Amino acid sequence: GQVMDLHPWEPNEVGPALLAALGAKGAPIVALHLTRPNVSIPDRAKLKMASHMEAAKGAYLIRDYDPARPKDGCIFVRGTSSTGSVIKLLEKGAFAGAGPNVKLVAAISHELFMLQPKAWRDQLVTREDWFNSTFITNGGRMAMWLWAAHQTSMHYAMSSDFDDRWRTGGSVDEIIAEAHLDPDHLLEGICRFVADREQRFEAAGLPAEFAR
């Protein structure tokens, strides 16, 4: 059977994700990675985020592209503190105006995501989104391999092991800063991902039309 990995980032997502996993066929083992640090619950309606109930689908939209601007790429987001930092950027308006026009997708459970209808999956994350994507995680980047489209996605990933070292410890804020998962470091990483678009596509061997 299949192991069902669940990574809810805030407490309200635990119930919907767990119920969906327990009701799935062919998944005798459910690995629930509980949220631990205190995190502010966002005003999802105000931020135009999907409901916490959407965690049952394994992935959902945190932020869609601004249709009035060119699309800068898709970023999968996993983990309590890392997602919390992304929400802080969203609340500050970091992606509006001249900010990076990225689609942000909460990566709760790839197994639950793959149980959804293909048409829905292809709408949430299009072929172009997959090609032009990277991810943010509070864990090791290799643990996100199911959300990585290619090696270049891994290269631009923002993860707690960005320097291939264990974190030294300290308070939550100190660890997050050392892991470069605080809002400022994440915005810097996202902007680097966006700025290197043509180099990324060339390195990944992607079709030229995706670099436009």
Side-chain angles (χ1 to χ4, degrees):
Q2 186 181 36
V3 176
M4 190 78 69
D5 269 308
L6 310 178
H7 293 266
W9 79 270
E10 59 107 329
N12 292 315
E13 295 182 347
V14 176
L18 185 57
L19 285 173
L22 293 175
K25 294 180 179 179
I29 300 175
V30 175
L32 175 59
H33 304 261
L34 282 172
T35 66
R36 294 199 300 165
N38 290 330
V39 63
S40 298
I41 306 301
D43 184 338
R44 291 174 179 260
K46 182 179 180 181
L47 295 175
K48 297 182 180 179
M49 285 177 63
S51 164
H52 65 269
M53 297 298 292
E54 293 293 289
K57 296 180 179 178
Y60 64 78
L61 203 60
I62 296 176
R63 179 196 187 269
D64 203 355
Y65 296 115
D66 173 0
R69 296 188 286 146
K71 298 176 181 179
D72 284 331
C74 176
I75 299 178
F76 298 102
V77 186
R78 186 163 85 180
T80 298
S81 296
S82 39
T83 307
S85 290
V86 169
I87 300 302
K88 288 178 183 177
L89 289 173
L90 199 58
E91 291 171 339
K92 291 179 183 176
F95 305 108
N101 186 25
V102 290
K103 175 186 281 190
L104 300 170
V105 176
I108 307 299
S109 170
H110 193 269
E111 291 77 24
L112 285 178
F113 177 66
M114 293 305 294
L115 291 177
Q116 308 312 309
K118 186 176 185 300
W120 180 85
R121 288 187 279 121
D122 289 345
Q123 181 178 19
L124 179 67
V125 187
T126 67
R127 179 170 175 261
E128 289 80 7
D129 288 336
W130 278 111
F131 282 153
N132 190 15
S133 69
T134 189
F135 57 83
I136 295 169
T137 177
N138 62 347
R141 59 184 178 273
M142 290 306 296
M144 284 288 284
W145 68 276
L146 289 169
W147 299 100
H150 39 69
Q151 190 61 39
T152 308
S153 298
M154 286 277 189
H155 178 74
Y156 283 87
M158 289 149 271
S159 63
S160 60
D161 63 344
F162 71 95
D163 55 357
D164 295 323
R165 297 175 65 89
W166 291 100
R167 305 280 52 97
T168 58
S171 69
V172 172
D173 288 343
E174 287 171 340
I175 295 171
I176 295 305
E178 185 188 318
H180 288 189
L181 295 176
D182 56 287
D184 288 345
H185 275 109
L186 289 186
L187 184 58
E188 181 182 326
I190 292 169
C191 288
R192 182 171 60 250
F193 166 79
V194 170
D196 288 359
R197 178 186 180 98
E198 292 189 11
Q199 297 96 302
R200 287 189 290 106
F201 284 13
E202 182 179 351
L206 300 180
E209 63 265 24
F210 288 112
R212 293 173 187 164

